[in-house]
Amino acid sequence: GAEKTLRRFRPVILLEILDRALHPLGCKKEQIRDYLLGLNYRFLTYDVKTGSPTTYKEFSGELDSDFIAMPY
């Protein structure tokens, strides 16, 4: 399924992570982060001033945001 596709084709993934949407599913944003990190992805976000992709270093707190998951 999906994991096999991610491992084989290594696509760039654009995703929006919303805690309030994940909560009813019993999922946390950290689980998504850990899963994709385990598949050797890194997270980028968009620079507020330029709109350009920038390295995302902090993945905690209540921030809901758009992310780019890029394979290493």
Side-chain angles (χ1 to χ4, degrees):
E3 184 172 335
K4 189 174 181 180
T5 298
L6 292 174
R7 289 185 185 279
R8 181 174 180 196
F9 296 107
R10 312 292 295 147
V12 172
I13 304 168
L14 305 176
L15 63 155
E16 181 177 30
I17 299 177
L18 300 170
D19 273 337
R20 66 184 176 272
L22 294 172
H23 181 71
L25 302 172
C27 186
K28 296 182 179 181
K29 63 184 172 192
E30 290 81 10
Q31 291 173 283
I32 295 170
R33 176 204 58 201
D34 294 346
Y35 179 76
L36 290 172
L37 287 174
L39 293 174
N40 294 314
Y41 275 81
R42 63 187 171 114
F43 284 86
L44 303 173
T45 191
Y46 299 97
D47 184 280
V48 224
K49 294 179 183 176
T50 66
S52 298
T54 184
T55 303
Y56 189 70
K57 297 179 178 125
E58 182 66 31
F59 205 99
S60 62
E62 293 304 315
L63 179 67
D64 293 324
S65 191
D66 297 320
F67 294 96
I68 305 164
M70 295 198 51
Y72 279 103

